[in-house]
Amino acid sequence: MVRPYTITRGRTVPERDDFSLITVLTTVQDPRDEHGAPVRPGRRALQPEHRAILERCRHPAAVAEVAADLDLPVSVTKILLADLVAHGLLLARAPLSVARASGGPDLGLLAAVRDGLRRL
C-alpha cells in the first residue's frame, strides 16, 4: 500500500480549487502547449496514477468516478487531476457547461418523467 502523501509528493491541497465531485474530465486528444507545440510528457513526468487517470478519462468521467475507479481518496485524486490539467493533458468542465454545450436539458423529456412519476 502506498501512502497518499507519497502519491502527491507531500502536497495536501490541489493547485486548483474549482473541482467538485461532478466536474467532468476528458483526456485531451492532441495536447499542445501555448506555442502550439505537441505536449509529450516523459514516462518519468507522469506517475502510474496519472497514466491511469488519462486512460480512464478517454471517455468523460466525473471526479467522483475517477476517484472510485482508482480507489483513492477524492482529495488525492483532485491533486493528481490538477497536475494533468496544468500540463494540458486533461480538460475539466463544470457539469452545467457540458449540459449547455449539448443543447441543454430536454424540457419535454423532463416534463414527461415528472408526469409519469406523478401517476405512480
Side-chain angles (χ1 to χ4, degrees):
M1 180 177 147
V2 177
R3 297 280 184 197
Y5 60 81
T6 304
I7 295 170
T8 63
R9 296 182 181 126
R11 295 172 293 162
T12 58
V13 294
E15 291 178 21
R16 304 172 48 132
D17 195 25
D18 59 340
F19 292 124
S20 71
L21 291 177
I22 57 174
T23 298
V24 178
L25 306 156
T26 309
T27 303
V28 175
Q29 297 302 321
D30 186 25
R32 303 236 173 219
D33 67 11
E34 61 274 2
H35 304 292
V39 174
R40 303 280 183 241
R43 291 187 64 81
R44 289 185 181 191
L46 296 179
Q47 296 175 268
E49 293 81 8
H50 286 123
R51 289 191 292 276
I53 290 169
L54 290 173
E55 182 64 32
R56 171 61 180 93
C57 293
R58 288 184 189 265
H59 300 285
V63 171
E65 292 173 309
V66 174
D69 287 347
L70 294 177
D71 196 27
L72 289 173
V74 173
S75 59
V76 171
T77 303
K78 286 181 177 182
I79 293 170
L80 298 174
L81 294 172
D83 293 344
L84 292 170
V85 169
H87 288 305
L89 299 172
L90 196 65
L91 292 175
R93 289 173 286 179
L96 289 178
S97 66
V98 172
R100 285 186 195 117
S102 65
D106 182 353
L107 296 179
L109 176 64
L110 291 175
V113 169
R114 180 196 62 208
D115 295 341
L117 289 172
R118 283 184 181 161
R119 282 181 277 192
L120 291 176

